[in-house]
């Protein structure tokens, strides 16, 4: 086994693109529909992180959560803060397990916790 690609259920293409591509800075890799009226299925990426977003009923349930390790969490947090995205204002939290974390929730209830391990005290 070499990688995991999480699937997140989405319900509105415009909101999904705004959140993932404009706010978080993901790139659209590809998208698929069986026909013009079919639900959207697409892959987005940011660095080595791949996520599949799906409008298909039954692919997955909304409200999923993933943790993503990141280097330079303060710079990432500053970048998000500069976006002025009206629906999120995440802070940096210090977790009891010795990591700095920035948690965002998409418009469909899916949560991504970006984290950076802290040096042991």
């Amino acid at each position: 086994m070499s990688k995991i690609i999480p699937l997140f259920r989405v319900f509105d293409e415009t909101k999904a693109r705004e959140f993932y591509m404009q706010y978080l800075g993901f790139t659209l890799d590809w998208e698929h529909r069986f026909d013009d009226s079919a639900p959207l299925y697409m892959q987005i990426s940011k660095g080595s992180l791949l996520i599949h977003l799906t409008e298909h009923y039954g692919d997955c349930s909304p409200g999923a959560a993933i943790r993503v390790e990141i280097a330079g969490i303060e710079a990432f947090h500053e970048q998000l803060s500069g976006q002025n995205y009206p629906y999120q204002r995440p802070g940096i939290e210090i977790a009891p397990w010795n990591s700095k974390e920035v948690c965002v929730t998409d418009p469909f209830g899916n949560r991504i916790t970006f984290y950076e391990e802290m040096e042991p005290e």
Side-chain angles (χ1 to χ4, degrees):
M1 292 182 255
S2 63
K3 65 180 161 183
I4 295 171
I5 302 174
L7 277 73
F8 283 156
R9 181 79 193 276
V10 298
F11 301 100
D12 182 305
E13 180 180 347
T14 301
K15 287 181 180 180
R17 289 178 190 275
E18 178 186 27
F19 181 79
Y20 285 100
M21 289 173 239
Q22 293 174 15
Y23 177 54
L24 292 181
F26 280 79
T27 300
L28 174 66
D29 296 331
W30 51 261
E31 57 184 55
H32 170 75
R33 294 179 193 271
F34 288 104
D35 59 53
D36 290 342
S37 64
L40 175 66
Y41 190 90
M42 66 179 168
Q43 177 176 291
I44 59 174
S45 63
K46 186 174 177 81
S48 63
L49 174 61
L50 303 176
I51 297 176
H52 286 190
L53 303 178
T54 179
E55 291 181 322
H56 288 264
Y57 174 82
D59 276 356
C60 54
S61 297
I66 62 173
R67 292 178 53 80
V68 177
E69 188 172 19
I70 186 171
I73 195 134
E74 285 91 359
F76 178 70
H77 177 259
E78 190 174 310
Q79 174 192 354
L80 290 182
S81 297
Q83 293 290 330
N84 292 320
Y85 182 68
Y87 309 108
Q88 297 274 317
R89 292 286 188 260
I92 296 178
E93 303 289 330
I94 305 298
W97 39 88
N98 208 35
S99 67
K100 293 181 182 180
E101 303 186 352
V102 174
C103 185
V104 296
T105 304
D106 78 6
F108 319 102
N110 302 300
R111 187 175 67 241
I112 305 173
T113 301
F114 297 95
Y115 72 94
E116 183 173 38
E117 297 291 336
M118 294 170 49
E119 294 294 321
E121 294 180 9

